[in-house]
Amino acid sequence: MFHLSSLIAEIFFLLDLNLFFDEVLYFYMIAVFAMFLFFAPILKIRSQKITKEMLLEPVLGVLFAAYLIIHLLAVFYESVPNKPLFLIGGILLFIFTAICSLIPLRHRSPHNYKTYIIAAALLIECITGFIYYYSLSIPIILSLLNIAICFHKTAATSYFVDVHNALNDEKDYI
């Protein structure tokens, strides 16, 4: 469900964001909710002992993501055709990024670094996409967008494959 809906959103995104703005955000929202369902069993795992030092990186990452998302919303708000949907998409992007940052705190699988890649690639994908369509339409930005899409898909697919083993693994990772 995640891959199909995100692929459809990315196709619409790459075809013409202005023409398919609502469709892109609707399919993006379906993809995010599919990932939330996928992350639910991981988030249900009893949390390991969390120290202050362990919180520093995820908190800084979430704060940086919040800054980027707020800046993205502020810069492109007047340019987008559907402002309420744009705000909802920005909020979901923040929640998704925060959850990706919290997963390594819940379960210390060695595969959890991929959640950071998933979140970062999605942020880069959104930022470069809006820059390309609403600010600077040069080929290098479109190339960065396509590279971010590839990283996002690769990390998500790899994590999907590895998470089954991580959930069935009874080890406590250091």
Side-chain angles (χ1 to χ4, degrees):
M1 177 109 159
F2 164 76
H3 280 300
L4 180 63
S5 58
S6 65
L7 182 63
I8 293 169
E10 289 161 356
I11 290 170
F12 281 138
F13 193 92
L14 292 171
L15 287 175
D16 188 353
L17 181 62
N18 288 322
L19 183 62
F20 299 112
F21 187 82
D22 289 355
E23 290 83 358
V24 167
L25 264 69
Y26 289 139
F27 280 107
Y28 159 73
M29 287 178 195
I30 292 169
V32 168
F33 285 119
M35 282 297 277
F36 287 159
L37 290 174
F38 179 75
F39 286 154
I42 299 166
L43 292 172
K44 288 181 183 176
I45 294 172
R46 186 179 56 91
S47 180
Q48 308 291 329
K49 182 170 171 59
I50 299 173
T51 64
K52 290 180 195 175
E53 294 80 22
M54 293 169 59
L55 287 174
L56 181 63
E57 289 177 14
V59 168
L60 288 176
V62 169
L63 289 174
F64 181 68
Y67 167 76
L68 286 177
I69 293 167
I70 291 169
H71 190 70
L72 178 76
L73 291 171
V75 169
F76 297 111
Y77 186 77
E78 293 302 320
S79 302
V80 298
N82 190 338
K83 292 167 183 36
L85 196 58
F86 183 58
L87 289 174
I88 292 169
I91 291 167
L92 280 175
L93 180 61
F94 174 73
I95 292 169
F96 181 80
T97 304
I99 288 175
C100 284
S101 298
L102 293 175
I103 286 175
L105 295 175
R106 302 291 294 177
H107 185 259
R108 295 195 192 112
S109 166
H111 307 290
N112 284 339
Y113 73 91
K114 294 174 186 171
T115 61
Y116 294 125
I117 297 171
I118 293 168
L122 185 60
L123 275 171
I124 293 168
E125 186 179 329
C126 292
I127 291 166
T128 56
F130 281 100
I131 289 172
Y132 179 76
Y133 278 103
Y134 296 116
S135 183
L136 193 59
S137 297
I138 58 174
I140 190 75
I141 301 294
L142 184 60
S143 297
L144 288 173
L145 169 61
N146 287 319
I147 291 168
I149 289 171
C150 291
F151 269 98
H152 181 239
K153 291 287 184 247
T154 303
T157 303
S158 178
Y159 190 67
F160 290 158
V161 170
D162 293 336
V163 79
H164 176 71
N165 295 334
L167 286 174
N168 292 330
D169 194 355
E170 297 296 324
K171 290 182 187 176
D172 284 335
Y173 294 98
I174 297 175

